[in-house]
């Protein structure tokens, strides 16, 4: 297919709290990706960096920093910011250059050295900054939003804290098999239940940490890949970088309120939810139906449409499990099951290694912690290893098609479809 | 003590006793498409289907239903106002669905309202509240309070 690009090389610096500069992690990952591709840095005609994120906003410039550290060689350069979706946007920019014929080979790099503790907004008085305001006026940290989603799911769908713990147990089991993960040991449901509540109903082990790490990809056009001797490389077939559609009626970071739905005819949007039985769904009985056709669902849908595939074609998925409950939400948003049925998948083991469609075989954010600009690139590294059959003890048997999904602050969606 | 809203123009000024019967959150409404915005949008209507009208101040509904809730067991970072020397007391956050505006608005719960007192779908109302007091300023805000005292509401049974 003409829209495909090839993944020639992948590389990661292991996640952790190493206390070094993000530049070291990015360069280490880039060198590994170049070695994996069999290309030299001087053959790369474009480098795209995902900027570090500081206080929710772009931090250190990435593209030129990595180009200088690897040694100036005249390549085209760009740096992108899309919060948690920065890495996928870097991939999207690389793909656009390749498909437009502007560059044969592009190096994509993201790395960060995360500050400790809660993500905090920028300092000083910033009453015009929505991210500053949510902390100032409400003290609404990121885990607070995750807690709101988790409680909402319990009320609407009957999820339980035990279901959320199952997600952590599953992801920790996979992460224990991944040499690049920060947390590499099995975790029991009892350990999750014994960890401190951070934002009711979520506990410390339900919420992802912040980490240092770096990830890189060497991408090229299919013709270049063939000339280079890569006859059957992993291919990226779609990259979705969508924004929400007004009115956005699901509360989202860093919003203090949703959009109002009064100006538009929303009868169509709410009809399907209203048609479903309200049994065991007190929120529905209370006339507060869950949103359908959410922003998160549109992220994967755009990628499926571009790739010409559907969720039934997936061998595996890497989704952004900022919290355990959010992973269950993603099952529904990427179409693995109907709205509200996410918990049944994890109960059945369908999304564990060896299940029908493993989700986060890498171990996910639960095992990595978030290194923001590197994370969406790391998701694609995992798809690549899985599709090559090179994922070792966490290999998904016969993996053919995978999707990544991710959502960044301020309305940045991203999903990548890769296949072999 | 000076009473200062933690943010300007988001809610009506409570009277000093905090018992204002018509305390409201303040939004704006587009005169062309009727879309409502909170926090108040001052510059332009954000409905892409709207050619753009004037934006007028409107009070939001006083009552709504709980969309979801959580709490903050750890002290949030600055710029949240709190005394680092004082023992941390968790507060409850409530997301409230307003039927007339068809939107969800976050807020802290009134003091003493813990997560165990709340339920998704429960009716709550907006009341004036205090976010923080320092040497010379009382920082005012809005709170959501259960209409009937919340669950298990032992008094409600009598």
């Amino acid at each position: 297919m003409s829209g495909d690009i090839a993944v020639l090389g992948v590389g990661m610096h292991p996640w952790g709290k190493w206390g070094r500069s993000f530049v070291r992690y990015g360069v280490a990952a880039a060198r590994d990706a170049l070695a994996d591709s069999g290309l030299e840095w001087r053959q790369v005609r474009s480098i795209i960096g995902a900027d570090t994120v500081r206080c929710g906003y772009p931090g250190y410039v990435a593209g030129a920093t990595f180009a200088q550290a690897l040694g100036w060689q005249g390549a085209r350069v760009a740096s992108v910011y899309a919060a948690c979706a920065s890495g996928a946007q870097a991939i999207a920019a690389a793909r656009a250059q390749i498909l437009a014929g502007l560059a044969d080979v592009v190096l994509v790099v993201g790395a960060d050295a995360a500050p400790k503790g809660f993500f905090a907004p920028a300092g000083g008085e910033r009453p015009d900054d929505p991210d500053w305001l949510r902390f100032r006026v409400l003290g609404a940290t990121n885990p607070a939003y995750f807690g709101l989603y988790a409680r909402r799911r319990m009320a609407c769908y009957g999820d339980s804290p035990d279901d959320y713990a199952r997600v952590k147990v599953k992801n920790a089991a996979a992460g224990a098999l991944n040499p690049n993960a920060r947390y590499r040991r099995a975790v029991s449901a009892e350990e999750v239940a014994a960890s401190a509540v951070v934002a009711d109903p979520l506990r410390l082990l339900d919420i992802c940490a912040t980490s240092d790490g770096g990830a890189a990809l060497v991408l090229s056009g299919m013709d270049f890949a063939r000339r280079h001797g890569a006859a059957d490389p992993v291919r990226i077939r779609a990259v979705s970088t969508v924004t929400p559609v007004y009115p956005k009626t699901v509360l989202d970071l860093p919003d203090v309120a949703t959009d109002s739905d009064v100006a538009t005819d929303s009868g169509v949007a709410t009809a399907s939810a209203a048609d479903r039985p309200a049994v065991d769904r007190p929120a529905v009985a209370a006339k507060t139906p869950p949103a359908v056709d959410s922003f998160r669902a549109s992220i994967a849908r755009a990628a499926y449409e571009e790739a010409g595939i559907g969720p039934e074609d997936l061998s595996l998925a890497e989704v952004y499990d900022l919290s355990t409950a959010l992973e269950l939400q993603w099952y529904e948003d990427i179409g693995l099951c109907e709205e509200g049925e996410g918990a049944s998948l994890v109960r059945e083991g369908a999304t564990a290694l060896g299940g029908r469609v493993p989700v986060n075989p890498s171990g996910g954010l639960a095992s990595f912690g978030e290194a923001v600009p590197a994370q969406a690139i790391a998701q694609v590294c995992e798809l690549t290893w899985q599709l090559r059959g090179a994922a070792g003890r966490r290999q998904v048997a016969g993996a053919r098609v995978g999707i990544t999904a991710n959502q960044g602050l301020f309305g940045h969606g991203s999903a990548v479809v890769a296949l072999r | 003590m000076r009473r200062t809203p933690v943010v300007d123009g988001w809610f009506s000024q409570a009277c000093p006793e905090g018992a204002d019967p018509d305390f409201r959150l303040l939004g704006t409404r587009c005169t062309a498409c009727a879309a409502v915005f909170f926090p108040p949008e001052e510059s332009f209507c954000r409905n892409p289907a709207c050619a753009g009208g004037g934006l007028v101040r409107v009070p939001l509904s006083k009552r709504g239903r709980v969309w979801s809730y959580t709490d903050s067991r750890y002290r949030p970072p600055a710029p949240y106002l709190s005394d680092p020397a004082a023992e941390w007391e968790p507060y409850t956050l409530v997301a409230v669905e307003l039927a007339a505006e068809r939107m969800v608005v976050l807020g802290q719960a009134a003091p003493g309202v813990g997560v165990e007192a709340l339920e998704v779908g429960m009716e709550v109302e907006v009341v004036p509240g205090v976010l923080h007091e320092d040497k010379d300023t009382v920082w005012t805000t809005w709170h959501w309070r259960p209409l009937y005292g919340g669950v298990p509401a032992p008094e409600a049974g009598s």
Side-chain angles (χ1 to χ4, degrees):
Chain A
M1 185 181 275
S2 63
D4 286 0
I5 60 168
V7 182
L8 293 183
V10 295
M12 284 173 66
H13 182 288
W15 264 229
K17 278 285 191 195
W18 309 108
R20 304 201 184 97
S21 160
F22 78 98
V23 184
R24 289 182 61 154
Y25 312 139
V27 168
R31 291 197 198 286
D32 280 359
L34 286 164
D36 187 40
S37 72
L39 289 167
E40 283 190 38
W41 160 233
R42 281 175 295 178
Q43 292 174 271
V44 171
R45 296 324 304 150
S46 173
I47 177 166
I48 302 183
D51 284 339
T52 71
V53 175
R54 290 291 177 275
C55 308
Y57 288 89
Y60 296 101
V61 167
T65 301
F66 295 131
Q68 183 187 33
L70 290 162
W72 294 123
Q73 45 88 322
R76 182 190 293 269
V77 67
S79 296
V80 303
Y81 165 84
C84 299
S86 297
Q89 228 168 59
I91 295 167
R95 176 172 175 257
Q97 289 185 356
I98 291 166
L99 294 179
L102 297 173
D104 274 344
V105 185
V106 185
L107 175 64
V108 171
V109 190
D112 212 345
K116 194 174 158 50
F118 284 123
F119 280 127
E125 294 288 311
R126 294 163 61 96
D128 57 345
D129 171 4
D131 196 48
W132 185 88
L133 280 167
R134 57 141 167 163
F135 279 92
R136 172 67 145 214
V137 178
L138 299 168
T141 59
N142 291 4
Y145 286 83
F146 307 153
L148 290 170
Y149 303 148
R151 173 61 62 182
R152 177 76 182 166
R153 289 190 59 86
M154 289 166 70
C156 291
Y157 307 139
D159 288 9
S160 73
D162 290 346
D163 294 323
Y164 300 154
R166 286 183 178 96
V167 175
K168 176 68 178 187
V169 170
K170 169 186 79 71
N171 286 347
L177 307 176
N178 191 340
N180 285 312
R182 175 176 172 191
Y183 303 105
R184 292 190 301 274
R185 72 171 187 89
V187 171
S188 69
E190 292 72 28
E191 285 176 86
V192 179
S195 65
V197 175
V198 174
D200 176 274
L202 297 179
R203 296 174 179 274
L204 189 63
L205 292 183
D206 285 305
I207 296 168
C208 92
T210 61
S211 294
D212 297 357
L217 302 168
V218 176
L219 305 174
S220 81
M222 295 308 298
D223 287 344
F224 182 95
R226 265 186 292 277
R227 290 201 304 276
H228 180 61
D232 184 24
V234 170
R235 300 152 190 238
I236 290 176
R237 183 156 288 177
V239 183
S240 149
T241 56
V242 295
T243 50
V245 173
Y246 179 92
K248 185 161 68 89
T249 54
V250 176
L251 194 69
D252 205 357
L253 286 76
D255 300 336
V256 172
T258 65
D259 290 334
S260 154
D261 197 14
V262 290
T264 51
D265 178 11
S266 59
V268 178
T270 51
S272 58
D275 287 346
R276 287 191 226 136
V279 181
D280 294 334
R281 289 164 60 181
V284 174
K287 295 187 173 50
T288 56
V292 289
D293 208 25
S294 69
F295 172 45
R296 267 192 303 273
S298 76
I299 293 169
R301 192 171 57 239
Y304 288 137
E305 283 173 6
E306 194 170 280
I309 66 155
E312 65 282 359
D313 298 313
L314 293 178
S315 315
L316 73 150
E318 284 280 314
V319 303
Y320 228 57
D321 57 319
L322 292 165
S323 79
T324 49
L326 206 54
E327 176 167 318
L328 300 183
Q329 185 75 48
W330 279 116
Y331 295 174
E332 298 155 21
D333 292 332
I334 68 172
L336 297 184
C337 60
E338 292 294 311
E339 183 77 25
E341 293 174 2
S344 64
L345 290 191
V346 77
R347 285 175 208 149
E348 293 159 9
T351 54
L353 284 173
R356 176 168 62 81
V357 53
V359 176
N360 287 333
S362 69
L365 294 176
S367 303
F368 275 75
E370 193 182 15
V372 181
Q375 210 69 45
I377 299 170
Q379 290 182 314
V380 176
C381 290
E382 179 67 11
L383 288 196
T384 302
W385 281 314
Q386 291 285 353
L387 294 170
R388 286 176 177 175
R393 291 165 65 206
R394 60 183 197 286
Q395 180 65 45
V396 175
R400 302 289 303 171
V401 182
I403 191 170
T404 72
N406 156 319
Q407 180 186 356
L409 194 71
F410 300 121
H412 294 101
S414 84
V416 175
V417 172
L419 67 164
R420 192 173 187 199
Chain B
M1 293 277 265
R2 187 179 54 193
R3 294 182 74 85
T4 306
V6 66
V7 54
D8 277 333
W10 287 19
F11 47 87
S12 56
Q13 292 291 322
C15 54
E17 303 77 40
D20 183 350
D22 203 33
F23 176 83
R24 297 293 191 97
L25 290 170
L26 301 176
T28 49
R29 186 174 61 216
C30 174
T31 54
C33 74
V36 176
F37 299 100
F38 182 82
E41 174 64 60
E42 311 280 0
S43 307
F44 32 74
C45 177
R46 295 200 307 264
N47 177 2
C50 176
L55 291 162
V56 295
R57 285 264 150 180
V58 285
L60 302 188
S61 297
K62 193 169 180 60
R63 293 178 179 180
R65 287 184 182 277
V66 173
W67 183 85
S68 191
Y69 54 92
T70 186
D71 59 11
S72 188
R73 302 286 178 99
Y74 293 86
R75 192 190 305 275
Y80 188 71
L81 298 168
S82 75
D83 176 4
E87 193 181 341
W88 175 245
E89 284 193 35
Y91 54 83
T92 303
L93 279 169
V94 195
V96 176
E97 194 159 30
L98 305 179
E101 290 83 0
R102 300 182 67 154
M103 69 195 300
V104 174
V105 180
L106 260 181
Q108 291 189 354
V113 177
V115 290
E116 66 289 344
L118 295 169
E119 206 165 57
V120 170
M122 172 185 281
E123 225 181 338
V124 293
E125 67 179 350
V126 70
V127 293
V130 170
L131 181 67
H132 182 65
E133 292 185 25
D134 54 30
K135 270 204 314 290
D136 48 14
T137 306
V138 176
W139 297 95
T140 62
T141 188
W142 74 94
H143 284 151
W144 294 109
R145 186 174 66 190
L147 219 51
Y148 307 108
V151 285
E155 296 87 355
S158 59

